[in-house]
Amino acid sequence: MIFRAACATASAALQRQRGALLTFAPVFMGVGIGLFFSLAREPGLWGYGLALAGGLAALIVANALRHTLGPLFAAGPWIAFGFCVAGLHAHMSGGPVLDYRYYGVIEGRVVAIDRSFTDKIRLTLDRVYLERRQPYETPRRVRIALHAQDGLPLPAPGSHAILSGHLSPPPSPAEPRGFEFERHAWFQSLGAVGYTRSPALTFAPPESGPELVVFRLRMALSAAISARIGSDAGAVAAAVTTGDRSGMSRAILEDLRGANLAHLLAISGLHMGLLTGFVFGAVRFLLALIPHVALTWPTRRIAALAGLCAGAAYLALSGGSVATERAFIMVAVVFGAVLLGRRALTLRAVALAALIVLVLHPEALMGPGFQMSFAATTALVVAFRWLTQHDMFGAPRMIRPALAVLVSSAVAGAATAPFAAAHFNVVSHYGLLANLLSVPVMGALVMPAAVIAALAAPLGLEAAPLWVMEQGLRWILFVAQWVSSLEGAVGRLPSPPPAALPLFALGGLMLILWRGAARYGGGLALACAVFLWGTAERPDLLISPTGGLMGLMQAEGRALSKARGEAFVATSWLENDGDGAAQAEAHARAEGQVWALGDARFVHLTGKAAREATCEGKALLVLGARPDLPLLCPAITPDDLALTGALSFHLDGEKLTRLTAREVTGHRLWNDAATRARFRDAHIFLTAWRLRF
């Protein structure tokens, strides 16, 4: 009797969701994608077959119980679909990965130019040639930081460059549960990364081809805009219009991040919305000036088509990054609804855009761009729908635009804050103020001026709109510098435990999507996420993947074993701790060469000291170089770390536990040569199929 009553209650609650089932589709597809990436090993043919069979069985049951518990089982096909799409895309991406440290001649075609972590110009090359490396073993793409290019011309976009440099496989995570760059590189087809201390020279002139023509046009426009506007504003103008950030210094980025304005650089939803919205409004206004056209033509649809074309051109011009592609899909869905005479800004439109993005780029689910973009969009649609229903609380029409800016900044900031803090460990306390002072300028001056400059350039009349654009960007940079320099402007948080972000997403989606009283269970999920984050503990001791750096948590923060070297790893550790100290400051916290953790003692040796290490004392040796002679005492060597990846140690009472990065990441296509060899035939077939079609 109780069971029957529970089923009836559940059936009634599920039937209430029928009108909103499409909005749940990307959620369950995301669950399937998340399951794929959480596996410790590749699922193989049996795994995909089981997923498909389970999805088909769930579909049959959902159809049979469509009037009762059917919606519950309807999640199964979407989960199976997401799982299989992620697996298919994983096999169609990637390529050969370098399996040793390489030094020698590197040749390739320049397909991307950006800046590295150390603020150096960086080239991405395809059609790569490496000495003593067979073509089928050569990475499809490599990325190289130029440390000796200052003052020398760069190889032109699309040209073939030649240089002598160092290459290594994409690095493993800096710590267990850290950012998996190997996976990120795999889906970008990056098989090696490195640097050169010699200039990069042009080996052959640029080739023809549609993708290279767009790339050269984009870089030429970037150079022209930077030269015309000049200074930091010119670099930001180039980034905003073409997506090229190679001219921007790290100082500008730090100011923008400290003021929570870094999103103004990414060509994503804000820029695409402002651009296409301006074009839509301008075309509709111009058509309305002609009485016959305004009365007889479908001006709204014509304006929507013009906005869609402008968005497509912007997508091509900006390089077609995943963030820009995601923004264009959202805009295309909105304008498609306008063309079909449907409501444009609805949760169904957001869900449809999310489905398209997840089908094209399932790996995007794991990154901050997708999470923050759709969190902000979903929250804004709900917030403005609620405000519309309440007629903006009766606010006078004169202040409604200002109220809309205030609400959009606050809502978007609140929706993206957990994800930004989790991925970047930074909270901008005055981000709302900075956005209120900057976003209206971006929408009212910068983007319209950019559109007008693009239209006026063929006539040689772009000087005035570019000047307007420059003034707007100078104001934004001033706001960023001022806000980020305020006392207490930037707060830092430690990285959350793995379950916190899924709980945040689940709680928010329950509150927004679910119909009925059960939606308030989302508040419980949010509370659990906050509790987990607040009780998160960082590792007591960390050892880098190469053994070149060690960090011990102390009362005043993590102490590092070296003041220089392994800068990326050191910065990652300190950021994940929620610590704003520089590496040299963290090294100053170290006390002596022997570090104690409970009853265990650790000694870190690098360079000559590591090569000449001997078994003296009872400490565990952590070596940054391979010892010349075999050691009979406990030691952690680079050979050991090549198998385990980075190490972390936790002290729980008197018990010391060790966790390796490999235990967390498992053996997947992107991080294990044996796994790649096992699935080589399937990978080659799917890659060839992708290149063919």
Side-chain angles (χ1 to χ4, degrees):
M1 196 66 157
I2 297 176
F3 176 74
R4 187 174 297 176
C7 287
T9 303
S11 176
L14 290 170
Q15 292 304 314
R16 259 189 235 117
Q17 317 308 318
R18 279 201 168 275
L21 286 180
L22 178 61
T23 59
F24 287 97
V27 177
F28 292 120
M29 186 177 175
V31 170
I33 294 171
L35 285 174
F36 172 81
F37 285 114
S38 67
L39 293 178
R41 295 184 179 275
E42 290 299 319
L45 187 61
W46 284 106
Y48 295 117
L50 185 62
L52 289 172
L56 181 60
L59 182 62
I60 294 172
V61 174
N63 183 62
L65 302 178
R66 58 185 177 275
H67 297 302
T68 54
L69 299 177
L72 178 64
F73 291 93
W78 285 110
I79 294 173
F81 180 61
F83 185 90
C84 294
V85 164
L88 179 66
H89 199 69
H91 282 281
M92 293 174 66
S93 301
V97 177
L98 199 66
D99 52 4
Y100 62 94
R101 293 183 65 87
Y102 169 89
Y103 175 75
V105 174
I106 305 168
E107 296 177 22
R109 185 177 63 170
V110 180
V111 294
I113 303 173
D114 62 350
R115 280 188 179 266
S116 69
F117 172 79
T118 56
D119 215 18
K120 298 295 183 181
I121 294 292
R122 193 166 58 182
L123 302 180
T124 300
L125 309 177
D126 72 353
R127 300 187 182 178
V128 180
Y129 167 78
L130 303 178
E131 289 183 305
R132 305 177 301 279
R133 188 84 176 177
Q134 295 298 325
Y136 64 86
E137 300 176 317
T138 304
R140 289 166 56 188
R141 288 190 173 196
V142 300
R143 197 165 66 189
I144 305 167
L146 308 181
H147 288 248
Q149 203 71 25
D150 296 341
L152 299 175
L154 287 172
S159 65
H160 281 256
I162 184 170
L163 52 95
S164 295
H166 300 261
L167 288 176
S168 301
S172 60
E175 62 174 278
R177 298 195 177 95
F179 173 63
E180 292 188 51
F181 181 76
E182 292 169 304
R183 183 177 66 199
H184 177 74
W186 176 263
F187 284 97
Q188 289 189 330
S189 300
L190 277 177
V193 294
Y195 65 93
T196 177
R197 299 194 185 279
S198 63
L201 306 176
T202 300
F203 180 70
E207 298 181 0
S208 59
E211 73 283 357
L212 292 178
V213 169
V214 173
F215 178 40
R216 287 198 295 271
L217 174 62
R218 184 164 67 92
M219 298 307 293
L221 283 174
S222 173
I225 292 171
S226 298
R228 193 65 177 265
I229 294 179
S231 69
D232 292 341
V236 176
V240 167
T241 53
T242 68
D244 172 31
R245 299 191 191 183
S246 60
M248 292 184 57
S249 67
R250 190 167 180 82
I252 299 175
L253 287 172
E254 291 300 326
D255 286 343
L256 290 168
R257 286 172 181 163
N260 196 27
L261 294 177
H263 64 93
L264 296 181
L265 293 178
I267 300 180
S268 54
L270 176 65
H271 301 75
M272 189 68 74
L274 291 174
L275 172 74
T276 56
F278 175 76
V279 171
F280 174 82
V283 169
R284 197 172 183 194
F285 174 76
L286 292 174
L287 293 177
L289 295 178
I290 308 173
H292 175 72
V293 170
L295 293 173
T296 58
W297 289 17
T299 57
R300 194 163 180 259
R301 289 187 171 90
I302 293 173
L305 190 60
L308 191 60
C309 293
Y314 196 27
L315 173 66
L317 183 63
S318 63
S321 67
V322 174
T324 314
E325 189 176 282
R326 181 174 59 246
F328 175 71
I329 289 171
M330 186 65 205
V331 164
V333 170
V334 170
F335 282 130
V338 173
L339 291 171
L340 296 174
R342 303 292 184 87
R343 285 179 59 194
L345 292 174
T346 65
L347 287 177
R348 290 185 180 183
V350 178
L352 182 58
L355 282 174
I356 296 172
V357 172
L358 290 176
V359 169
L360 295 176
H361 303 285
E363 74 281 2
L365 176 74
M366 312 302 290
F370 178 92
Q371 296 168 11
M372 295 173 66
S373 174
F374 280 99
T377 305
T378 303
L380 286 171
V381 169
V382 173
F384 277 97
R385 183 177 63 185
W386 188 73
L387 285 176
T388 302
Q389 291 172 350
H390 292 79
D391 194 29
M392 288 278 191
F393 297 109
R397 292 191 174 276
M398 293 293 293
I399 68 169
R400 288 192 177 190
L403 179 61
V405 172
L406 175 64
V407 170
S408 61
S409 298
V411 168
T416 58
F419 302 97
H423 288 286
F424 307 117
N425 305 100
V426 173
V427 176
S428 179
H429 294 146
Y430 305 119
L432 178 58
L433 172 63
N435 277 273
L436 288 175
L437 294 174
S438 301
V439 172
V441 175
M442 177 66 77
L445 287 182
V446 175
M447 295 308 295
V451 174
I452 295 171
L455 296 175
L459 303 176
L461 303 175
E462 74 278 7
L466 284 179
W467 181 86
V468 173
M469 187 178 183
E470 178 182 1
Q471 304 315 306
L473 291 173
R474 286 184 182 277
W475 168 256
I476 291 172
L477 289 174
F478 166 75
V479 170
Q481 185 177 16
W482 171 62
V483 170
S484 62
S485 64
L486 293 174
E487 185 177 356
V490 177
R492 300 186 182 274
L493 291 174
S495 293
L501 270 190
L503 277 174
F504 268 114
L506 174 64
L509 291 169
M510 280 286 290
L511 287 171
I512 290 172
L513 301 181
W514 193 263
R515 296 177 177 179
R519 71 189 310 167
Y520 298 109
L524 179 61
L526 292 176
C528 290
V530 172
F531 174 77
L532 283 176
W533 201 332
T535 57
E537 294 184 359
R538 292 286 296 147
D540 294 300
L541 182 73
L542 287 168
I543 298 174
S544 71
T546 62
L549 188 68
M550 189 167 71
L552 178 68
M553 183 64 78
Q554 298 178 343
E556 65 274 20
R558 191 173 302 278
L560 299 180
S561 59
K562 294 197 305 184
R564 297 179 59 188
E566 304 245 8
F568 180 78
V569 173
T571 302
S572 298
W573 288 355
L574 294 171
E575 286 181 350
N576 292 339
D577 291 338
D579 190 343
Q583 183 175 355
E585 297 175 56
H587 173 66
R589 300 167 180 165
E591 299 177 358
Q593 190 179 21
V594 180
W595 289 5
L597 184 59
D599 295 332
R601 300 291 183 270
F602 297 83
V603 173
H604 184 228
L605 301 175
T606 58
K608 184 178 179 181
R611 291 191 295 271
E612 298 176 353
T614 58
C615 295
E616 296 181 4
K618 297 182 179 180
L620 174 63
L621 299 180
V622 179
L623 306 179
R626 185 180 292 110
D628 294 334
L629 298 175
L631 297 174
L632 300 178
C633 55
I636 298 173
T637 68
D639 291 336
D640 299 324
L641 292 167
L643 299 175
T644 64
L647 300 178
S648 68
F649 292 84
H650 297 257
L651 184 63
D652 185 7
E654 297 182 356
K655 183 181 179 182
L656 187 65
T657 59
R658 188 185 83 159
L659 181 67
T660 72
R662 182 51 57 91
E663 289 173 345
V664 177
T665 60
H667 299 268
R668 306 301 303 270
L669 287 170
W670 45 84
N671 62 24
D672 186 65
T675 301
R676 286 193 293 273
R678 189 156 56 96
F679 290 98
R680 181 177 291 123
D681 291 342
H683 177 64
I684 292 174
F685 171 77
L686 290 172
T687 302
W689 182 83
R690 183 188 67 170
L691 295 176
R692 171 65 179 85
F693 294 101

